[in-house]
Amino acid sequence: MRDTYIYTPLLAALLVFLASSQSYAANVLVSPPAVVPGDVFLLKITSADTAPVEATFLERKVDLYPSEGGLISLIALDINTNPGTHIIHVRHGEDTSTASVTVKSHEFRTIKL
């Protein structure tokens, strides 16, 4: 029982230190996670911190707009986007986060005139 009195303040001090030094990485959500060329998907970024946020997709800056609980963007895929998994890079202050969207192959119907 005596050991409990010694360790409790040390544990509390450690928890306070870890909580104060913790960085708040952005939470990144992509919906839907799989799309076809020509589709639109939603990017939602939430964070407990107020640091500036920047996002890039396919090496282009993504315009982010304030929304309830964070920032959002609707990202439209070019019809010529290559199939595969593409990474979205989010910079949140000094921290970085990533998310991915899968672009599925799709055959578009064509009509010869």
Side-chain angles (χ1 to χ4, degrees):
M1 178 124 162
R2 183 171 182 246
D3 291 339
T4 303
Y5 291 119
I6 294 172
Y7 293 117
T8 302
L10 291 175
L11 182 60
L14 179 63
L15 289 174
V16 168
F17 172 74
L18 290 175
S20 65
S21 65
Q22 181 181 12
S23 63
Y24 296 100
N27 184 18
V28 183
L29 170 74
V30 175
S31 180
V35 291
V36 297
D39 274 354
V40 175
F41 65 92
L42 173 71
L43 173 66
K44 184 171 185 177
I45 303 169
T46 57
S47 174
D49 197 358
T50 57
V53 177
E54 294 178 352
T56 57
F57 178 65
L58 297 177
E59 299 181 12
R60 293 187 184 133
K61 183 179 176 187
V62 174
D63 293 326
L64 299 168
Y65 301 96
S67 176
E68 200 172 305
L71 300 168
I72 62 168
S73 183
L74 289 175
I75 300 174
L77 292 178
D78 187 278
I79 201 162
N80 295 317
T81 303
N82 291 329
T85 300
H86 298 281
I87 305 297
I88 302 162
H89 298 277
V90 177
R91 189 172 177 175
H92 179 251
E94 298 295 320
D95 297 326
T96 57
S97 300
T98 59
S100 63
V101 62
T102 301
V103 178
K104 296 179 180 181
S105 181
H106 185 71
E107 286 288 323
F108 292 98
R109 291 178 31 180
T110 58
I111 299 174
K112 291 186 179 187
L113 300 176

